[in-house]
Amino acid sequence: MRDGRLGREAHHETSKLSLEKVTENQLHLNLAHHEAASERDLGNASGSSNGTTPASAEVQPEVITYPEGGLQAWLVVLGSFSGMLAAFGQMNIIGTFQAYLITHQLAETSPGTVGWIFSLYVFLAFGCGLQVGPIFDRNGPRWLVFAGSVCLVVGMIGVSESTAYWHFILTFSILGGVGTSLIFTPAVGAIAHFFSRRRGAATGLAATGGSFGGIIFPLALQALFPRLGFAWSVRLLALIFFIILVIANLLIRTRLPPKAGGTVRPDFRILGDVTFSLTTAGVFFIEWGLFVPLSYISSYALANGVSMAFSYQLLAVLNAGSVFGRGIPGYVADRLGRFNTMIAAVALCLISVLGVWLNVGGSIAGLCVFAVLFGFASGSNISLTPVCVGQLCEPEVFGRWYGTCYTIVSIGCLTGIPIAGEILSVAGGDYWGLIVFTGMCYAAGMICFIGARVLKVGWSLKAIY
């Protein structure tokens, strides 16, 4: 028993010494932590006094907030609406000019050759965005919109005096195309500085300006050509452009500072983002087909025995459908997903082209159904593309991403109308090949957008993206 008591006492002493050692080690450890913390505090205080920022503060991202409304934001939307009313208004009347020129000034020129006037215009309208976008990100919209307004008005005055093929290339294609690009890229990009959650609805509302232009201007020209002649009708159009572009110059502005280190040089490295590349490819195919109906719907109706008056009015009917097609899908996209809505709209384009236009012939009722349905579905091609691209990047670099996208897309715009014209010639004036080509473009575009969506959210149909 005595040995047991001695053993317990020895164990007690050992435990006591171990506890004291642990306590002493913990005391030293706590003291070291305290000293290190004091040194960090002193270092931070010293850094602050020297005007530097602690390392922990440098890695915290800046939170960007958006007004999502208010007087200033909606005035920017109004300015963008005005800019697109002129810029996309001219783009949406290329069918009217195409039908008029091939029967008047350029009657001796083949439709495919005349088509190059409008293809070059669309190519420059979108292709110049490669440089316009970065300049917008860096310097803002003011001088871009002003220069675009001058090009658009002077170009339209030049169109009124044009009689030869090269005249129209210089005035409508080059001046008009560059002017459109200088206006529409800042008009779309400025909205991204004021809206995030409601960006689809705001962009769609502004984009309806182009559709209203596509309604008003063809009907006006149709009424004015017989009364005033070509020259004075186009001069009056130039005056209207001047008035509405004054509003655009006064109201389009930005609010976010340029991204640090940004330059005005284009950057194709962003195509390394696979989702962005698929999105760009999707827009390429969509725009490749989009301008074929816009350019040939009037001449298609004339070739099928429809009166000249109604053939010109068809373009206005198509743009009337586009008004709702630009506004409503933007509102829906903010709630159900931008890519989801774009895929549905492209599918509806495909159905309207191959299901309706391919079989409509000279039926006036059928042509109206196609014009309204395609106008509604294709309206989203312009209004949803910016918000889809904007979903993939920060607003400070939106101009660069959007400009890069449309620079590639512009190649399709350059070749789409002439290819359609050559298909028409090969088919002996029958439009079925041209219509099938348009449908295949939309099918390819839909596949690309589905691929981009799958990369982000998988195959789930319930995912909002």
Side-chain angles (χ1 to χ4, degrees), residues 151-215:
C151 289
L152 215 58
V153 173
V154 172
M156 195 54 62
I157 293 173
V159 169
S160 71
E161 303 294 334
S162 298
T163 56
Y165 182 78
W166 70 270
H167 295 167
F168 291 102
I169 290 288
L170 178 63
T171 56
F172 194 99
S173 304
I174 298 177
L175 282 175
V178 173
T180 296
S181 183
L182 289 169
I183 292 170
F184 102 88
T185 301
V188 171
I191 295 174
H193 283 242
F194 291 85
F195 295 89
S196 177
R197 180 175 49 85
R198 304 170 68 184
R199 187 178 299 168
T203 304
L205 182 60
T208 58
S211 298
F212 278 113
I215 298 171

Coordinates of all heavy atoms in Angstrom, one line a residue, residues 151-215:
C151 N -21.9 61.8 -89.6 CA -21.8 60.8 -90.7 C -23.2 60.4 -91.3 O -23.4 60.3 -92.5 CB -21.0 59.6 -90.3 SG -19.3 59.8 -90.0
L152 N -24.1 60.2 -90.3 CA -25.4 59.7 -90.7 C -26.2 60.7 -91.5 O -26.8 60.4 -92.6 CB -26.2 59.3 -89.5 CG -27.2 58.1 -89.6 CD1 -26.4 56.8 -90.1 CD2 -27.9 57.8 -88.3
V153 N -26.2 62.0 -91.1 CA -26.9 63.0 -91.7 C -26.3 63.4 -93.1 O -27.0 63.5 -94.1 CB -27.1 64.3 -90.8 CG1 -27.7 65.4 -91.6 CG2 -27.9 64.0 -89.6
V154 N -25.0 63.6 -93.1 CA -24.3 63.9 -94.3 C -24.4 62.8 -95.3 O -24.6 63.0 -96.5 CB -22.8 64.2 -94.0 CG1 -22.0 64.4 -95.3 CG2 -22.7 65.5 -93.2
G155 N -24.3 61.5 -94.8 CA -24.5 60.4 -95.7 C -25.8 60.3 -96.4 O -25.9 60.1 -97.6
M156 N -26.9 60.6 -95.6 CA -28.2 60.6 -96.2 C -28.4 61.7 -97.2 O -29.1 61.5 -98.2 CB -29.3 60.6 -95.1 CG -30.7 60.3 -95.5 SD -30.8 58.6 -96.3 CE -30.2 57.5 -95.0
I157 N -27.9 62.9 -96.9 CA -27.9 64.0 -97.9 C -27.2 63.5 -99.2 O -27.6 63.8 -100.3 CB -27.3 65.3 -97.3 CG1 -28.2 65.8 -96.2 CG2 -27.1 66.3 -98.4 CD1 -27.5 67.0 -95.4
G158 N -26.1 62.8 -99.0 CA -25.3 62.3 -100.2 C -26.1 61.3 -101.0 O -26.1 61.3 -102.2
V159 N -26.9 60.5 -100.3 CA -27.7 59.5 -101.0 C -28.7 60.2 -101.9 O -29.0 59.7 -103.0 CB -28.5 58.6 -100.0 CG1 -29.5 57.7 -100.6 CG2 -27.5 57.7 -99.2
S160 N -29.3 61.3 -101.4 CA -30.3 62.0 -102.2 C -29.7 62.5 -103.6 O -30.5 62.7 -104.5 CB -30.8 63.2 -101.4 OG -29.8 64.2 -101.3
E161 N -28.4 62.7 -103.6 CA -27.7 63.2 -104.8 C -27.1 62.1 -105.7 O -26.6 62.3 -106.7 CB -26.6 64.2 -104.5 CG -27.1 65.4 -103.7 CD -28.1 66.3 -104.4 OE1 -28.0 66.3 -105.7 OE2 -28.9 67.0 -103.8
S162 N -27.2 60.8 -105.2 CA -26.5 59.7 -105.9 C -27.3 59.2 -107.1 O -28.5 59.1 -107.1 CB -26.3 58.6 -104.9 OG -25.5 59.0 -103.8
T163 N -26.5 58.9 -108.1 CA -27.1 58.3 -109.3 C -26.3 57.1 -109.8 O -26.9 56.2 -110.5 CB -27.0 59.4 -110.5 OG1 -25.7 59.8 -110.7 CG2 -28.0 60.6 -110.1
A164 N -25.1 57.0 -109.4 CA -24.2 55.8 -109.9 C -24.0 54.9 -108.7 O -24.2 55.2 -107.6 CB -22.9 56.3 -110.4
Y165 N -23.6 53.7 -109.1 CA -23.4 52.6 -108.1 C -22.4 53.0 -107.0 O -22.6 52.9 -105.8 CB -22.9 51.3 -108.8 CG -22.7 50.1 -107.9 CD1 -23.8 49.4 -107.4 CD2 -21.4 49.8 -107.5 CE1 -23.6 48.3 -106.6 CE2 -21.2 48.7 -106.7 CZ -22.3 47.9 -106.2 OH -22.1 46.9 -105.4
W166 N -21.3 53.6 -107.5 CA -20.2 54.0 -106.5 C -20.7 55.1 -105.6 O -20.2 55.3 -104.5 CB -18.9 54.3 -107.2 CG -18.9 55.6 -108.0 CD1 -19.2 55.7 -109.3 CD2 -18.5 56.9 -107.5 NE1 -19.1 57.0 -109.7 CE2 -18.7 57.8 -108.6 CE3 -18.1 57.4 -106.3 CZ2 -18.4 59.1 -108.5 CZ3 -17.8 58.7 -106.2 CH2 -18.0 59.6 -107.3
H167 N -21.6 56.0 -106.1 CA -22.2 57.0 -105.2 C -22.8 56.4 -104.0 O -22.7 56.9 -102.9 CB -23.2 57.8 -106.0 CG -22.6 58.6 -107.1 ND1 -23.4 59.2 -108.1 CD2 -21.4 58.9 -107.5 CE1 -22.7 59.8 -109.0 NE2 -21.4 59.6 -108.6
F168 N -23.6 55.4 -104.2 CA -24.4 54.7 -103.1 C -23.4 54.0 -102.2 O -23.7 53.9 -101.0 CB -25.4 53.8 -103.7 CG -26.6 54.5 -104.3 CD1 -26.6 54.5 -105.7 CD2 -27.6 55.1 -103.6 CE1 -27.7 55.2 -106.4 CE2 -28.6 55.8 -104.2 CZ -28.7 55.8 -105.6
I169 N -22.3 53.4 -102.7 CA -21.3 52.8 -101.9 C -20.7 53.8 -100.9 O -20.6 53.6 -99.7 CB -20.2 52.1 -102.7 CG1 -20.8 50.9 -103.5 CG2 -19.0 51.8 -101.9 CD1 -21.1 49.7 -102.6
L170 N -20.4 55.0 -101.4 CA -19.7 56.0 -100.6 C -20.7 56.6 -99.6 O -20.3 56.8 -98.4 CB -19.2 57.1 -101.6 CG -18.5 58.3 -100.9 CD1 -17.3 57.9 -100.1 CD2 -18.2 59.4 -101.9
T171 N -21.9 56.9 -100.0 CA -22.8 57.7 -99.1 C -23.6 56.7 -98.2 O -23.6 56.9 -97.0 CB -23.8 58.5 -100.0 OG1 -24.5 57.6 -100.9 CG2 -23.1 59.6 -100.8
F172 N -24.3 55.8 -98.8 CA -25.2 54.9 -97.9 C -24.3 53.9 -97.2 O -24.5 53.7 -96.0 CB -26.2 54.2 -98.8 CG -27.3 53.5 -98.0 CD1 -28.5 54.1 -97.9 CD2 -27.1 52.3 -97.4 CE1 -29.5 53.5 -97.1 CE2 -28.1 51.7 -96.7 CZ -29.3 52.3 -96.5
S173 N -23.4 53.2 -97.9 CA -22.6 52.1 -97.3 C -21.6 52.6 -96.3 O -21.6 52.3 -95.1 CB -21.9 51.3 -98.4 OG -22.8 50.8 -99.3
I174 N -20.7 53.5 -96.8 CA -19.5 53.9 -95.9 C -19.9 55.0 -94.9 O -19.8 54.7 -93.7 CB -18.4 54.4 -96.8 CG1 -17.9 53.3 -97.7 CG2 -17.2 54.9 -95.9 CD1 -16.8 53.7 -98.7
L175 N -20.5 56.1 -95.3 CA -20.9 57.1 -94.3 C -22.0 56.6 -93.4 O -21.9 56.8 -92.2 CB -21.3 58.4 -95.1 CG -20.1 59.3 -95.6 CD1 -20.7 60.5 -96.4 CD2 -19.3 59.8 -94.5
G176 N -23.0 56.0 -94.0 CA -24.1 55.5 -93.2 C -23.7 54.4 -92.3 O -24.1 54.3 -91.1
G177 N -22.8 53.5 -92.8 CA -22.4 52.3 -91.9 C -21.6 52.8 -90.8 O -21.8 52.4 -89.6
V178 N -20.6 53.6 -91.0 CA -19.7 54.1 -89.9 C -20.5 55.0 -88.9 O -20.4 54.8 -87.7 CB -18.5 55.0 -90.5 CG1 -17.8 55.6 -89.4 CG2 -17.6 54.1 -91.3
G179 N -21.4 55.8 -89.5 CA -22.3 56.6 -88.6 C -23.2 55.8 -87.7 O -23.3 56.0 -86.5
T180 N -23.7 54.7 -88.2 CA -24.6 53.8 -87.4 C -23.8 53.2 -86.3 O -24.2 53.1 -85.2 CB -25.2 52.7 -88.3 OG1 -26.1 53.3 -89.3 CG2 -26.0 51.7 -87.5
S181 N -22.6 52.7 -86.6 CA -21.7 52.1 -85.6 C -21.4 53.0 -84.5 O -21.4 52.7 -83.3 CB -20.5 51.5 -86.2 OG -19.7 50.8 -85.3
L182 N -21.0 54.3 -84.9 CA -20.6 55.3 -83.9 C -21.8 55.6 -82.9 O -21.5 56.0 -81.8 CB -20.1 56.5 -84.6 CG -18.8 56.4 -85.3 CD1 -18.5 57.6 -86.2 CD2 -17.6 56.2 -84.3
I183 N -23.0 55.4 -83.4 CA -24.2 55.8 -82.5 C -24.6 54.6 -81.7 O -24.8 54.7 -80.5 CB -25.3 56.3 -83.4 CG1 -24.9 57.7 -84.0 CG2 -26.6 56.5 -82.6 CD1 -25.9 58.2 -85.1
F184 N -24.8 53.4 -82.4 CA -25.5 52.4 -81.7 C -24.7 51.7 -80.6 O -25.2 51.2 -79.6 CB -26.1 51.3 -82.7 CG -25.3 50.1 -82.8 CD1 -25.6 49.0 -82.0 CD2 -24.4 49.9 -83.8 CE1 -24.9 47.8 -82.1 CE2 -23.7 48.7 -84.0 CZ -23.9 47.7 -83.1
T185 N -23.4 51.6 -80.8 CA -22.6 51.0 -79.7 C -22.6 51.8 -78.4 O -22.9 51.2 -77.4 CB -21.1 50.8 -80.2 OG1 -21.1 50.0 -81.4 CG2 -20.3 50.1 -79.1
P186 N -22.4 53.1 -78.4 CA -22.6 53.9 -77.2 C -24.0 53.9 -76.7 O -24.2 53.9 -75.5 CB -22.1 55.3 -77.6 CG -21.3 55.1 -78.8 CD -21.9 53.9 -79.5
A187 N -25.0 53.9 -77.6 CA -26.4 53.9 -77.2 C -26.7 52.6 -76.4 O -27.5 52.7 -75.4 CB -27.3 54.0 -78.4
V188 N -26.2 51.5 -76.8 CA -26.5 50.2 -76.1 C -25.6 50.2 -74.8 O -26.1 49.8 -73.7 CB -26.2 49.0 -77.0 CG1 -26.2 47.7 -76.2 CG2 -27.2 49.0 -78.1
G189 N -24.3 50.6 -74.9 CA -23.4 50.5 -73.8 C -23.8 51.4 -72.7 O -23.5 51.0 -71.5
A190 N -24.3 52.5 -72.9 CA -24.6 53.5 -71.8 C -25.7 52.9 -70.9 O -25.7 53.2 -69.7 CB -25.1 54.8 -72.4
I191 N -26.6 52.1 -71.4 CA -27.7 51.6 -70.6 C -27.1 50.6 -69.5 O -27.6 50.6 -68.4 CB -28.7 50.8 -71.5 CG1 -29.4 51.9 -72.4 CG2 -29.7 50.1 -70.6 CD1 -30.3 51.2 -73.4
A192 N -26.0 49.9 -69.9 CA -25.4 49.0 -69.0 C -24.8 49.7 -67.8 O -24.5 49.1 -66.7 CB -24.3 48.2 -69.7
H193 N -24.6 51.0 -67.8 CA -24.0 51.8 -66.7 C -25.1 52.1 -65.7 O -24.8 52.5 -64.5 CB -23.4 53.1 -67.2 CG -22.0 52.9 -67.8 ND1 -20.9 53.4 -67.3 CD2 -21.7 52.1 -68.9 CE1 -19.9 53.1 -68.1 NE2 -20.3 52.3 -69.0
F194 N -26.4 52.0 -66.0 CA -27.5 52.4 -65.2 C -28.4 51.2 -64.7 O -29.1 51.4 -63.8 CB -28.3 53.5 -65.9 CG -27.6 54.8 -66.0 CD1 -26.8 55.0 -67.1 CD2 -27.7 55.8 -65.1 CE1 -26.1 56.2 -67.3 CE2 -27.1 57.0 -65.2 CZ -26.3 57.2 -66.3
F195 N -28.3 50.1 -65.5 CA -29.2 49.0 -65.2 C -28.4 47.7 -65.1 O -27.5 47.5 -65.9 CB -30.3 48.9 -66.3 CG -31.3 50.1 -66.3 CD1 -31.0 51.2 -67.1 CD2 -32.4 50.0 -65.6 CE1 -31.8 52.2 -67.2 CE2 -33.3 51.1 -65.6 CZ -33.0 52.2 -66.4
S196 N -28.8 46.8 -64.2 CA -28.3 45.5 -64.2 C -29.4 44.5 -64.1 O -29.7 43.7 -65.0 CB -27.4 45.3 -62.9 OG -26.9 43.9 -62.9
R197 N -30.2 44.5 -63.0 CA -31.3 43.6 -62.8 C -32.4 43.8 -63.9 O -33.0 42.9 -64.4 CB -31.9 43.8 -61.4 CG -33.1 42.9 -61.1 CD -33.5 43.1 -59.7 NE -33.7 44.4 -59.3 CZ -34.8 45.2 -59.5 NH1 -35.8 44.6 -60.1 NH2 -34.8 46.4 -59.1
R198 N -32.6 45.1 -64.3 CA -33.6 45.4 -65.3 C -33.0 45.8 -66.6 O -33.7 46.5 -67.4 CB -34.5 46.6 -64.7 CG -35.1 46.4 -63.4 CD -35.7 47.6 -62.8 NE -36.9 48.1 -63.5 CZ -37.5 49.2 -63.3 NH1 -37.1 49.9 -62.2 NH2 -38.6 49.5 -64.0
R199 N -31.8 45.3 -66.9 CA -31.1 45.7 -68.1 C -31.8 45.2 -69.4 O -31.9 45.9 -70.4 CB -29.7 45.2 -68.1 CG -28.8 45.7 -69.3 CD -27.4 45.2 -69.1 NE -26.8 45.6 -67.9 CZ -25.6 45.2 -67.4 NH1 -25.0 44.2 -68.1 NH2 -25.1 45.6 -66.3
G200 N -32.4 44.0 -69.3 CA -33.1 43.5 -70.5 C -34.3 44.3 -70.9 O -34.4 44.7 -72.1
A201 N -35.1 44.7 -69.9 CA -36.2 45.6 -70.2 C -35.8 46.9 -70.7 O -36.4 47.5 -71.7 CB -37.1 45.7 -68.9
A202 N -34.8 47.5 -70.1 CA -34.4 48.9 -70.5 C -33.8 48.9 -71.9 O -34.1 49.7 -72.7 CB -33.3 49.4 -69.5
T203 N -32.9 47.8 -72.2 CA -32.4 47.7 -73.5 C -33.4 47.5 -74.6 O -33.4 48.0 -75.7 CB -31.3 46.6 -73.6 OG1 -30.3 46.9 -72.5 CG2 -30.6 46.6 -74.9
G204 N -34.4 46.6 -74.2 CA -35.5 46.3 -75.2 C -36.3 47.5 -75.5 O -36.7 47.8 -76.6
L205 N -36.6 48.3 -74.4 CA -37.3 49.5 -74.6 C -36.6 50.5 -75.6 O -37.2 51.1 -76.5 CB -37.6 50.2 -73.3 CG -38.4 51.5 -73.3 CD1 -39.8 51.2 -73.9 CD2 -38.6 52.1 -71.9
A206 N -35.3 50.7 -75.4 CA -34.5 51.6 -76.2 C -34.4 51.0 -77.6 O -34.5 51.8 -78.6 CB -33.1 51.7 -75.6
A207 N -34.3 49.7 -77.8 CA -34.2 49.1 -79.1 C -35.5 49.2 -79.9 O -35.4 49.1 -81.2 CB -33.8 47.6 -79.0
T208 N -36.6 49.4 -79.3 CA -37.8 49.6 -80.1 C -37.7 50.9 -81.0 O -38.5 51.0 -81.9 CB -39.1 49.8 -79.2 OG1 -38.9 50.9 -78.3 CG2 -39.3 48.5 -78.3
G209 N -36.8 51.8 -80.7 CA -36.6 52.9 -81.5 C -36.3 52.5 -83.0 O -36.9 53.1 -83.9
G210 N -35.5 51.5 -83.1 CA -35.2 51.0 -84.5 C -36.4 50.5 -85.2 O -36.6 50.7 -86.4
S211 N -37.3 49.8 -84.4 CA -38.5 49.2 -85.0 C -39.5 50.3 -85.4 O -40.1 50.3 -86.4 CB -39.2 48.3 -84.0 OG -38.3 47.2 -83.7
F212 N -39.6 51.3 -84.5 CA -40.5 52.5 -84.9 C -40.0 53.2 -86.2 O -40.8 53.6 -87.0 CB -40.6 53.5 -83.7 CG -41.6 53.1 -82.7 CD1 -41.2 52.7 -81.4 CD2 -42.9 53.1 -83.0 CE1 -42.1 52.4 -80.4 CE2 -43.9 52.7 -82.0 CZ -43.4 52.4 -80.7
G213 N -38.6 53.3 -86.3 CA -38.1 53.8 -87.5 C -38.4 53.0 -88.7 O -38.7 53.5 -89.8
G214 N -38.4 51.6 -88.5 CA -38.7 50.7 -89.6 C -40.2 50.8 -90.0 O -40.5 50.3 -91.0
I215 N -41.0 51.3 -89.1 CA -42.4 51.5 -89.5 C -42.7 52.8 -90.2 O -43.3 52.9 -91.2 CB -43.3 51.4 -88.2 CG1 -43.2 50.0 -87.5 CG2 -44.8 51.7 -88.6 CD1 -43.9 50.0 -86.2

